[in-house]
Amino acid sequence: MRVLGIETSCDETAAAVVEGGVRLLSDAVAGQEDLHAPYGGVVPEVAGRAHEATVVPVIERALRGAGIGLDGIDGIAVTNRPGLVGSLLVGVQAAKSLSLATGLPLVGVNHVLAHAHANLLSGVRLRFPLVALVVSGGHTNLYLCRSPLEEDLLGATVDDAAGEAFDKVAALLDLGFPGGPAVDRLAREGDRAAVRFPRTRGARGTLDFSFSGLKTAVLYHLRGQDARPGRGRNRPGARPADVAASFQEALVDSLVGITLEGARRHRVAQIVLGGGVACNGRLRERMAQEGARAGLEVVLPPPRLCTDNGAMVAALGTHLLRAGLRDGLDLEVFPRLLRNPSVKKERRRKGAGVGRTEAEVGGKEAEVGR
Ligand code: KG4
Ligand code: ZN
């Protein structure tokens, strides 16, 4: 089965062809960084318009790269949640048009879960059940995946996403946008122990994350307003590289600690990472080291499969299509995922989720905006 995956949820227009859910035949991405950089963040209107201009050429590139035409495709998968509505609509409209013109089956895909499924393409055998940490600009989610189609949300950020924290701290340090890669680079020259930033997390006993306190601590430190200035090792006037390295260390501490705790609690043998922040050198290093020490196999996707791409959408879409799931031309887009089990129950009651998997209905995260 060859599936065309289409991704336009944020600021990357991407399309890819995947065979059998695991073999990448082509992978085309058109980024928009230059368009958004002057504004210091993604401007939704600018993103939607740019997708409009690039979506068809990118799909054509993906098909050309795979050496096939639309007649060589068996199904179409498209990100329909979560993301910028104006951006999601462009990809979903393109997918619907192709499905209408060709009669090919269509399925909508949850972008956050797709990040975890990028690992299906990394050539490593996945051993279910496993724990997946998805860390991107918009989400920090920890899942227990029982199969490619069954997952429970174990924890999530209660405020900023990890990538958002990287981007905001990068802005404080004047490193430009997107900030994650710049902080990662600068941190390599810094002293991780220069500033002791707080290790924050969600409510006690949960596997939730929290990063806004850490971001605020960085802000106060840069303003010279540490809670205890001059005490301990919080040297006022630490170099930007030291601040970057110390911030990154605190954030990575939380990500690694909570993920390992999730793996222990649920007795899994494998941890997989996904999302743009999974490109981070220190996160990869520490997750691999500490996972190994705990007797766990840690799977790190290659960096180009960590950031937004069409391949992960095609990989998860293949499993959904194989399980018989189909969406029609009434497929909608949803800006957010919401952790609200009662909404899930409500949907079940109405029959919306009957016979469908958690991956399909969004699991504990039911869509809002209905
Ligand atoms: O998954 P992604 O490409 O898009 C979203 O779905 O959000 O993730 C983008 C995020 C941005 O916040 C970016 O700063 C962050 O991933 N990022 C990094 C690194 N590379 C990208 N954060 C830390 N270190 C990196 N090397
Ligand atoms: Zn993403």
mmCIF file of all heavy atoms in Angstrom, residues 76 78 80 89 91-108 326-333 356:
data_model
loop_
_atom_site.group_PDB
_atom_site.id
_atom_site.type_symbol
_atom_site.label_atom_id
_atom_site.label_comp_id
_atom_site.label_asym_id
_atom_site.label_seq_id
_atom_site.Cartn_x
_atom_site.Cartn_y
_atom_site.Cartn_z
ATOM 1 N N ILE A 76 -4.832 8.538 0.553
ATOM 2 C CA ILE A 76 -4.342 9.887 0.874
ATOM 3 C C ILE A 76 -4.585 10.149 2.367
ATOM 4 O O ILE A 76 -5.696 9.952 2.867
ATOM 5 C CB ILE A 76 -5.087 10.951 0.040
ATOM 6 C CG1 ILE A 76 -4.870 10.684 -1.464
ATOM 7 C CG2 ILE A 76 -4.613 12.355 0.400
ATOM 8 C CD1 ILE A 76 -5.804 11.486 -2.355
ATOM 9 N N VAL A 78 -4.027 13.109 5.440
ATOM 10 C CA VAL A 78 -3.768 14.548 5.588
ATOM 11 C C VAL A 78 -3.937 14.954 7.049
ATOM 12 O O VAL A 78 -4.839 14.465 7.733
ATOM 13 C CB VAL A 78 -4.699 15.374 4.661
ATOM 14 C CG1 VAL A 78 -6.179 15.178 5.011
ATOM 15 C CG2 VAL A 78 -4.349 16.858 4.716
ATOM 16 N N ASN A 80 -5.401 16.913 9.840
ATOM 17 C CA ASN A 80 -6.585 17.785 9.982
ATOM 18 C C ASN A 80 -6.712 18.339 11.391
ATOM 19 O O ASN A 80 -7.637 19.061 11.698
ATOM 20 C CB ASN A 80 -7.864 17.038 9.579
ATOM 21 C CG ASN A 80 -8.318 16.042 10.622
ATOM 22 O OD1 ASN A 80 -7.496 15.372 11.242
ATOM 23 N ND2 ASN A 80 -9.622 15.941 10.821
ATOM 24 N N LEU A 89 -6.596 24.043 6.586
ATOM 25 C CA LEU A 89 -7.599 24.008 5.519
ATOM 26 C C LEU A 89 -6.968 23.825 4.139
ATOM 27 O O LEU A 89 -7.532 23.153 3.283
ATOM 28 C CB LEU A 89 -8.421 25.308 5.535
ATOM 29 C CG LEU A 89 -9.556 25.366 6.556
ATOM 30 C CD1 LEU A 89 -10.153 26.767 6.602
ATOM 31 C CD2 LEU A 89 -10.646 24.347 6.191
ATOM 32 N N GLY A 91 -4.177 22.169 3.256
ATOM 33 C CA GLY A 91 -3.814 20.765 3.030
ATOM 34 C C GLY A 91 -5.041 19.884 2.896
ATOM 35 O O GLY A 91 -5.099 18.998 2.036
ATOM 36 N N VAL A 92 -6.035 20.130 3.758
ATOM 37 C CA VAL A 92 -7.240 19.298 3.728
ATOM 38 C C VAL A 92 -8.010 19.510 2.420
ATOM 39 O O VAL A 92 -8.491 18.547 1.811
ATOM 40 C CB VAL A 92 -8.119 19.578 4.976
ATOM 41 C CG1 VAL A 92 -9.510 18.971 4.827
ATOM 42 C CG2 VAL A 92 -7.444 19.003 6.222
ATOM 43 N N GLN A 93 -8.077 20.761 1.948
ATOM 44 C CA GLN A 93 -8.770 21.009 0.675
ATOM 45 C C GLN A 93 -8.034 20.329 -0.473
ATOM 46 O O GLN A 93 -8.655 19.754 -1.361
ATOM 47 C CB GLN A 93 -8.878 22.517 0.395
ATOM 48 C CG GLN A 93 -9.897 23.232 1.232
ATOM 49 C CD GLN A 93 -11.277 22.594 1.170
ATOM 50 O OE1 GLN A 93 -11.825 22.183 2.188
ATOM 51 N NE2 GLN A 93 -11.837 22.460 -0.016
ATOM 52 N N ALA A 94 -6.706 20.386 -0.450
ATOM 53 C CA ALA A 94 -5.922 19.736 -1.512
ATOM 54 C C ALA A 94 -6.176 18.232 -1.493
ATOM 55 O O ALA A 94 -6.390 17.610 -2.536
ATOM 56 C CB ALA A 94 -4.434 20.032 -1.314
ATOM 57 N N ALA A 95 -6.184 17.647 -0.280
ATOM 58 C CA ALA A 95 -6.392 16.197 -0.155
ATOM 59 C C ALA A 95 -7.791 15.810 -0.623
ATOM 60 O O ALA A 95 -7.967 14.803 -1.324
ATOM 61 C CB ALA A 95 -6.177 15.779 1.299
ATOM 62 N N LYS A 96 -8.774 16.610 -0.255
ATOM 63 C CA LYS A 96 -10.152 16.310 -0.685
ATOM 64 C C LYS A 96 -10.270 16.387 -2.208
ATOM 65 O O LYS A 96 -10.924 15.544 -2.831
ATOM 66 C CB LYS A 96 -11.127 17.329 -0.071
ATOM 67 C CG LYS A 96 -11.441 17.101 1.383
ATOM 68 C CD LYS A 96 -12.444 18.158 1.824
ATOM 69 C CE LYS A 96 -12.694 18.100 3.313
ATOM 70 N NZ LYS A 96 -13.567 19.190 3.763
ATOM 71 N N SER A 97 -9.639 17.414 -2.796
ATOM 72 C CA SER A 97 -9.717 17.573 -4.263
ATOM 73 C C SER A 97 -9.116 16.361 -4.950
ATOM 74 O O SER A 97 -9.684 15.825 -5.906
ATOM 75 C CB SER A 97 -8.972 18.832 -4.712
ATOM 76 O OG SER A 97 -9.426 19.928 -3.985
ATOM 77 N N LEU A 98 -7.954 15.901 -4.453
ATOM 78 C CA LEU A 98 -7.298 14.742 -5.062
ATOM 79 C C LEU A 98 -8.171 13.502 -4.901
ATOM 80 O O LEU A 98 -8.306 12.696 -5.818
ATOM 81 C CB LEU A 98 -5.939 14.489 -4.407
ATOM 82 C CG LEU A 98 -4.822 15.482 -4.754
ATOM 83 C CD1 LEU A 98 -3.563 15.147 -3.967
ATOM 84 C CD2 LEU A 98 -4.535 15.449 -6.255
ATOM 85 N N SER A 99 -8.774 13.359 -3.710
ATOM 86 C CA SER A 99 -9.618 12.194 -3.448
ATOM 87 C C SER A 99 -10.848 12.212 -4.356
ATOM 88 O O SER A 99 -11.236 11.190 -4.928
ATOM 89 C CB SER A 99 -10.022 12.188 -1.973
ATOM 90 O OG SER A 99 -10.966 11.191 -1.726
ATOM 91 N N LEU A 100 -11.424 13.390 -4.519
ATOM 92 C CA LEU A 100 -12.618 13.523 -5.365
ATOM 93 C C LEU A 100 -12.278 13.204 -6.822
ATOM 94 O O LEU A 100 -13.013 12.509 -7.518
ATOM 95 C CB LEU A 100 -13.164 14.952 -5.247
ATOM 96 C CG LEU A 100 -14.439 15.280 -6.002
ATOM 97 C CD1 LEU A 100 -15.602 14.450 -5.464
ATOM 98 C CD2 LEU A 100 -14.784 16.765 -5.857
ATOM 99 N N ALA A 101 -11.134 13.722 -7.266
ATOM 100 C CA ALA A 101 -10.757 13.549 -8.677
ATOM 101 C C ALA A 101 -10.359 12.113 -8.997
ATOM 102 O O ALA A 101 -10.546 11.646 -10.114
ATOM 103 C CB ALA A 101 -9.606 14.501 -9.017
ATOM 104 N N THR A 102 -9.783 11.409 -8.011
ATOM 105 C CA THR A 102 -9.228 10.074 -8.290
ATOM 106 C C THR A 102 -10.049 8.934 -7.696
ATOM 107 O O THR A 102 -9.857 7.781 -8.067
ATOM 108 C CB THR A 102 -7.816 9.961 -7.675
ATOM 109 O OG1 THR A 102 -7.928 10.205 -6.264
ATOM 110 C CG2 THR A 102 -6.847 10.962 -8.283
ATOM 111 N N GLY A 103 -10.901 9.244 -6.728
ATOM 112 C CA GLY A 103 -11.639 8.189 -6.035
ATOM 113 C C GLY A 103 -10.815 7.495 -4.964
ATOM 114 O O GLY A 103 -11.254 6.511 -4.360
ATOM 115 N N LEU A 104 -9.612 8.000 -4.697
ATOM 116 C CA LEU A 104 -8.752 7.372 -3.680
ATOM 117 C C LEU A 104 -9.316 7.600 -2.278
ATOM 118 O O LEU A 104 -9.847 8.677 -1.992
ATOM 119 C CB LEU A 104 -7.331 7.959 -3.737
ATOM 120 C CG LEU A 104 -6.466 7.507 -4.913
ATOM 121 C CD1 LEU A 104 -5.189 8.330 -4.978
ATOM 122 C CD2 LEU A 104 -6.128 6.016 -4.795
ATOM 123 N N PRO A 105 -9.180 6.611 -1.364
ATOM 124 C CA PRO A 105 -9.654 6.803 0.009
ATOM 125 C C PRO A 105 -8.857 7.890 0.717
ATOM 126 O O PRO A 105 -7.662 8.067 0.470
ATOM 127 C CB PRO A 105 -9.442 5.442 0.666
ATOM 128 C CG PRO A 105 -8.458 4.729 -0.181
ATOM 129 C CD PRO A 105 -8.598 5.272 -1.572
ATOM 130 N N LEU A 106 -9.549 8.589 1.620
ATOM 131 C CA LEU A 106 -8.983 9.738 2.328
ATOM 132 C C LEU A 106 -9.104 9.511 3.826
ATOM 133 O O LEU A 106 -10.119 9.001 4.299
ATOM 134 C CB LEU A 106 -9.796 10.983 1.932
ATOM 135 C CG LEU A 106 -9.568 12.275 2.696
ATOM 136 C CD1 LEU A 106 -8.209 12.878 2.331
ATOM 137 C CD2 LEU A 106 -10.678 13.292 2.373
ATOM 138 N N VAL A 107 -8.052 9.894 4.584
ATOM 139 C CA VAL A 107 -8.177 9.816 6.040
ATOM 140 C C VAL A 107 -7.490 11.019 6.689
ATOM 141 O O VAL A 107 -6.407 11.441 6.253
ATOM 142 C CB VAL A 107 -7.623 8.472 6.582
ATOM 143 C CG1 VAL A 107 -6.114 8.374 6.490
ATOM 144 C CG2 VAL A 107 -8.079 8.219 8.017
ATOM 145 N N GLY A 108 -8.137 11.593 7.716
ATOM 146 C CA GLY A 108 -7.560 12.718 8.469
ATOM 147 C C GLY A 108 -6.693 12.182 9.593
ATOM 148 O O GLY A 108 -7.012 11.164 10.211
ATOM 149 N N ARG A 326 -12.039 5.664 7.119
ATOM 150 C CA ARG A 326 -12.168 6.542 5.954
ATOM 151 C C ARG A 326 -12.806 7.855 6.383
ATOM 152 O O ARG A 326 -13.702 7.855 7.227
ATOM 153 C CB ARG A 326 -13.095 5.927 4.884
ATOM 154 C CG ARG A 326 -12.682 4.580 4.376
ATOM 155 C CD ARG A 326 -11.506 4.717 3.386
ATOM 156 N NE ARG A 326 -11.151 3.435 2.822
ATOM 157 C CZ ARG A 326 -10.261 2.598 3.353
ATOM 158 N NH1 ARG A 326 -9.660 2.910 4.482
ATOM 159 N NH2 ARG A 326 -9.979 1.458 2.779
ATOM 160 N N ASP A 327 -12.395 8.945 5.769
ATOM 161 C CA ASP A 327 -13.104 10.206 5.958
ATOM 162 C C ASP A 327 -13.687 10.621 4.618
ATOM 163 O O ASP A 327 -13.152 10.279 3.550
ATOM 164 C CB ASP A 327 -12.151 11.284 6.492
ATOM 165 C CG ASP A 327 -11.924 11.118 7.987
ATOM 166 O OD1 ASP A 327 -12.912 11.169 8.737
ATOM 167 O OD2 ASP A 327 -10.768 10.904 8.399
ATOM 168 N N GLY A 328 -14.767 11.395 4.694
ATOM 169 C CA GLY A 328 -15.424 11.843 3.473
ATOM 170 C C GLY A 328 -15.035 13.275 3.149
ATOM 171 O O GLY A 328 -14.141 13.860 3.768
ATOM 172 N N LEU A 329 -15.747 13.840 2.190
ATOM 173 C CA LEU A 329 -15.458 15.212 1.776
ATOM 174 C C LEU A 329 -15.935 16.218 2.830
ATOM 175 O O LEU A 329 -15.717 17.411 2.689
ATOM 176 C CB LEU A 329 -16.089 15.503 0.418
ATOM 177 C CG LEU A 329 -15.519 14.647 -0.716
ATOM 178 C CD1 LEU A 329 -16.212 14.963 -2.026
ATOM 179 C CD2 LEU A 329 -14.011 14.837 -0.849
ATOM 180 N N ASP A 330 -16.575 15.711 3.885
ATOM 181 C CA ASP A 330 -16.975 16.590 4.986
ATOM 182 C C ASP A 330 -15.918 16.630 6.085
ATOM 183 O O ASP A 330 -16.159 17.170 7.170
ATOM 184 C CB ASP A 330 -18.318 16.144 5.581
ATOM 185 C CG ASP A 330 -18.272 14.688 6.049
ATOM 186 O OD1 ASP A 330 -17.254 14.006 5.778
ATOM 187 O OD2 ASP A 330 -19.243 14.238 6.682
ATOM 188 N N LEU A 331 -14.725 16.089 5.820
ATOM 189 C CA LEU A 331 -13.643 16.112 6.819
ATOM 190 C C LEU A 331 -13.392 17.549 7.275
ATOM 191 O O LEU A 331 -13.185 18.445 6.461
ATOM 192 C CB LEU A 331 -12.364 15.522 6.209
ATOM 193 C CG LEU A 331 -11.107 15.552 7.082
ATOM 194 C CD1 LEU A 331 -11.276 14.654 8.302
ATOM 195 C CD2 LEU A 331 -9.884 15.119 6.272
ATOM 196 N N GLU A 332 -13.401 17.734 8.610
ATOM 197 C CA GLU A 332 -13.216 19.080 9.160
ATOM 198 C C GLU A 332 -11.800 19.271 9.694
ATOM 199 O O GLU A 332 -11.081 18.302 9.897
ATOM 200 C CB GLU A 332 -14.182 19.299 10.333
ATOM 201 C CG GLU A 332 -15.630 19.412 9.936
ATOM 202 C CD GLU A 332 -16.499 19.610 11.166
ATOM 203 O OE1 GLU A 332 -16.460 20.707 11.740
ATOM 204 O OE2 GLU A 332 -17.185 18.656 11.566
ATOM 205 N N VAL A 333 -11.448 20.516 9.991
ATOM 206 C CA VAL A 333 -10.159 20.789 10.644
ATOM 207 C C VAL A 333 -10.431 21.276 12.068
ATOM 208 O O VAL A 333 -11.475 21.878 12.344
ATOM 209 C CB VAL A 333 -9.314 21.839 9.873
ATOM 210 C CG1 VAL A 333 -9.072 21.394 8.448
ATOM 211 C CG2 VAL A 333 -9.944 23.215 9.915
ATOM 212 N N ARG A 356 -14.033 2.985 16.375
ATOM 213 C CA ARG A 356 -12.853 3.709 15.928
ATOM 214 C C ARG A 356 -11.795 3.666 17.023
ATOM 215 O O ARG A 356 -12.110 3.455 18.182
ATOM 216 C CB ARG A 356 -13.203 5.160 15.601
ATOM 217 C CG ARG A 356 -14.332 5.234 14.621
ATOM 218 C CD ARG A 356 -14.651 6.670 14.330
ATOM 219 N NE ARG A 356 -14.299 6.985 12.961
ATOM 220 C CZ ARG A 356 -14.108 8.213 12.534
ATOM 221 N NH1 ARG A 356 -14.189 9.220 13.351
ATOM 222 N NH2 ARG A 356 -13.816 8.444 11.284
#
